[in-house]
Amino acid sequence: MLLTAANIVMRLISIAFNVFLSDRIGASGLGLLQLISTVGVFAFLVGTSGIRVAAMCLSAEEFGHGRKGGVRLAISACLRYGLLISSVAGAALYFTSELIAQSLLGDLNTALSLKIMGIFLPFSCMSGILTGYFTACSKIRRLVVAELLEHIFSLLLTAALLLVWAGASLERSCASIILGSSVGTVFFVLLLYLRYRRDMRGVSLPKEPLHIRRRLLRLSIPIALNDYLRSGLNTAEQLLIPFGLAQYGLSGTQAMANYGTIHAMVFPILMFPATILYSVSDLLVPELSRSRVSGKRRRIIDLSDKCLRMTFLFAVAVAGFFFVSADALGMLIYNSPEAGHFLRLFAPMVLMLYTDAITDGMLKGLAEQVSSVRYNSFTSLLDVVFLYLLLPRWGLTGYVFSFAVTHAINLFLSLRRLLVVSGHVIRFQDFLLPLLCAAFCISITLVLPGNTLAKGIGFLLLLLGTFLLTNTFSEHDRHWLCGVFRQMIDKPQPLK
């Protein structure tokens, strides 16, 4: 609940800041910034090379064995390796920034931002490693406080740079945003490192060999190779979108504006309600792992059934609300009718996106990470092929088609694997009935008078009543859900 609340606050702040950015640099500027961020994410994954996840796993293992000295040894090794690799990756990004800006991004205005990313890349790597330590050792409150402080500091600094230094220059505007975020990361690293040093005060290194380096390489190399593949494919996807739209016949500015509207304005709203799903997904991993190891087959089937059905009910409500209220939300948040148009266009896909998020979490809990990686890599490659072939011919229609088809394939493959390994059998009516209820409520809501935001709220109330009348949201489910929330709120009892 703490992580979910913190994520909701930070996402709300980010959406509000995106409104400020859209006024300063426009939709095309947001699109350019999104491309810069895509390159930055790839550079970050190359710089960390799986060490962030390795730091979390090694810290958790040593912490679980009660070896605090082992935790110190593991984090020290991760920091040394991380600084070495990220420094090389940062230097490569710095010296190739103009080539990347001109050849891949098609705009030299991005070169300065890429140089800044290259300089600060080692701090991003240290941030990931230290975050892994605090997460593994269950020091969540300290981590959440540091993240909130860093987030607020970054946004204030970015706003000051935009107002004082950037002016009307797109190059300086993008550089201000990247610099504000990067300096915020340095602030975040300092906070975490000082706290880490305090935790390790008086802790001596273990005398017995723990083979930390060997374990670090065994964990980080497979993760790094997977990250390189997935991030490379995702970067190719993102770069192809504005390029393909320009090939279709749109001007470069219009293509970048459409890209920025979809990815920097619509998707943050679309995925905002999913914050709680990602928290639940993380909690499902250890719960299903314990059930799998203990051989509790019925427990796994019961959890799979409840989580899939509850997630689908939630997704139906969110998708319907966005579909009905899209125009009002686009104008209210961004003062952009285009944002409302794209929000309505992508609203039905919430059904797939949210269900896929919870399915991936359950697959990880059932030790099916390799399957998830295989499906995600396959659909990412398929998406690259679709975008390359369809965008120059169909424009935005080709993008929407590619997005819908590849995500549907990913969900089908993941869900099929989940049903196989869990033994759960889906009841068709559990998913058909919510859809029929939503279609009925949307058709009634759209003909009612009033603005679209009021209609969206009316839709949610009508949908809840319909769910209760048709027993789609049954009394048993309500009792179970209330029990879950009570367990989350109540203090855990001491072990006996």
Side-chain angles (χ1 to χ4, degrees):
M1 290 183 72
L2 182 62
L3 285 173
T4 301
N7 284 332
I8 288 174
V9 170
M10 286 189 281
R11 288 199 181 200
L12 282 173
I13 294 173
S14 296
I15 290 174
F17 193 68
N18 274 352
V19 176
F20 169 72
L21 291 182
S22 66
D23 290 335
R24 292 286 305 179
I25 63 178
S28 60
L30 285 175
L32 194 63
L33 184 65
Q34 188 70 27
L35 286 182
I36 295 170
S37 300
T38 300
V39 175
V41 169
F42 180 72
F44 170 75
L45 290 175
V46 172
T48 54
S49 295
I51 298 174
R52 181 180 64 86
V53 178
M56 186 184 300
C57 293
L58 290 174
S59 298
E61 290 173 4
E62 295 303 311
F63 189 75
H65 287 300
R67 297 192 295 247
K68 205 168 183 181
V71 175
R72 179 184 169 186
L73 184 62
I75 295 300
S76 298
C78 289
L79 287 173
R80 286 197 300 271
Y81 279 86
L83 283 174
L84 175 63
I85 297 171
S86 61
S87 297
V88 173
L93 179 60
Y94 181 88
F95 289 111
T96 60
S97 57
E98 293 184 0
L99 178 63
I100 294 172
Q102 188 169 12
S103 303
L104 294 180
L105 304 185
D107 195 329
L108 280 174
N109 287 323
T110 61
L112 179 58
S113 299
L114 295 175
K115 287 180 184 291
I116 294 171
M117 281 184 170
I119 293 171
F120 287 95
L121 191 62
F123 290 98
S124 298
C125 176
M126 290 180 66
S127 168
I129 293 170
L130 292 171
T131 299
Y133 159 75
F134 282 95
T135 303
C137 297
S138 300
K139 302 177 186 295
I140 302 298
R141 290 191 179 185
R142 297 174 187 175
L143 183 59
V144 166
V145 170
E147 285 180 341
L148 285 173
L149 290 175
E150 181 266 336
H151 207 60
I152 294 170
F153 177 80
S154 296
L155 295 185
L156 291 176
L157 179 60
T158 301
L161 289 170
L162 285 170
L163 295 172
V164 175
W165 178 64
S169 169
L170 182 60
E171 179 185 33
R172 287 191 176 188
S173 295
C174 291
S176 297
I177 297 166
I178 299 301
L179 182 59
S181 175
S182 300
V183 175
T185 301
V186 176
F187 174 72
F188 181 62
V189 168
L190 288 175
L191 287 177
L192 292 187
Y193 188 71
L194 290 174
R195 187 71 240 189
Y196 164 74
R197 293 281 298 186
R198 186 180 302 177
D199 289 348
M200 293 295 120
R201 187 179 298 164
V203 176
S204 58
L205 295 175
K207 296 180 180 179
E208 69 274 16
L210 299 178
H211 308 292
I212 290 292
R213 293 181 182 178
R214 187 190 310 166
R215 292 158 62 192
L216 172 60
L217 293 175
R218 189 170 64 245
L219 283 167
S220 60
I221 290 177
I223 295 170
L225 294 176
N226 173 58
D227 284 346
Y228 296 162
L229 176 62
R230 288 196 61 192
S231 182
L233 290 172
N234 181 65
T235 303
E237 288 178 44
Q238 301 301 312
L239 295 177
L240 276 172
I241 295 169
F243 173 78
L245 292 176
Q247 293 291 311
Y248 176 67
L250 299 179
S251 66
T253 302
Q254 185 59 43
M256 195 62 70
N258 286 338
Y259 174 73
T261 300
I262 293 172
H263 283 268
M265 298 167 80
V266 171
F267 280 0
I269 300 175
L270 202 69
M271 300 308 294
F272 174 73
T275 303
I276 190 170
L277 284 183
Y278 290 121
S279 298
V280 172
S281 178
D282 287 342
L283 294 174
L284 280 172
V285 174
E287 178 64 28
L288 286 171
S289 296
R290 285 190 293 267
S291 300
R292 176 179 56 84
V293 172
S294 304
K296 298 178 180 177
R297 195 74 174 179
R298 293 184 63 184
R299 172 69 171 160
I300 293 173
I301 294 173
D302 185 59
L303 275 175
S304 301
D305 174 63
K306 284 186 171 69
C307 290
L308 285 174
R309 287 191 298 105
M310 294 297 104
T311 298
F312 195 74
L313 293 180
F314 179 63
V316 165
V318 172
F321 174 76
F322 282 150
F323 186 83
V324 172
S325 304
D327 293 333
L329 290 172
M331 294 301 296
L332 177 66
I333 299 174
Y334 296 112
N335 195 28
S336 169
E338 290 82 10
H341 167 72
F342 288 121
L343 183 59
R344 175 170 287 117
L345 188 64
F346 283 96
M349 299 184 197
V350 163
L351 302 174
M352 292 189 300
L353 296 174
Y354 287 18
T355 307
D356 189 54
I358 207 73
T359 301
D360 275 352
M362 288 189 281
L363 283 176
K364 290 175 183 176
L366 295 171
E368 291 292 327
Q369 293 93 332
V370 175
S371 298
S372 293
V373 168
R374 189 166 63 244
Y375 302 149
N376 290 331
S377 299
F378 169 69
T379 51
S380 293
L381 180 60
L382 192 62
D383 201 25
V384 169
V385 174
F386 278 159
L387 291 174
Y388 180 78
L389 295 175
L390 299 180
L391 276 177
R393 294 173 175 81
W394 294 359
L396 281 172
T397 304
Y399 173 68
V400 175
F401 174 83
S402 173
F403 188 93
V405 170
T406 54
H407 281 79
I409 292 173
N410 191 297
L411 175 59
F412 170 76
L413 294 173
S414 300
L415 193 56
R416 185 187 65 172
R417 185 62 186 169
L418 175 65
L419 297 179
V420 169
V421 297
S422 68
H424 175 50
V425 178
I426 286 180
R427 294 182 297 274
F428 187 64
Q429 64 269 21
D430 288 340
F431 297 88
L432 178 61
L433 191 56
L435 289 176
L436 293 176
C437 291
F440 169 74
C441 294
I442 288 174
S443 62
I444 291 180
T445 306
L446 289 178
V447 300
L448 294 175
N451 62 54
T452 54
L453 189 58
K455 289 182 178 181
I457 297 172
F459 163 79
L460 292 177
L461 295 174
L462 185 60
L463 183 68
L464 177 60
T466 309
F467 278 172
L468 295 175
L469 287 173
T470 58
N471 206 37
T472 303
F473 186 34
S474 66
E475 185 177 357
H476 175 73
D477 291 333
R478 296 196 298 273
H479 283 308
W480 174 76
L481 202 58
C482 289
V484 170
F485 281 116
R486 278 196 299 270
Q487 289 178 16
M488 293 170 70
I489 294 170
D490 291 342
K491 292 182 180 181
Q493 299 298 317
L495 293 176
K496 297 181 179 180

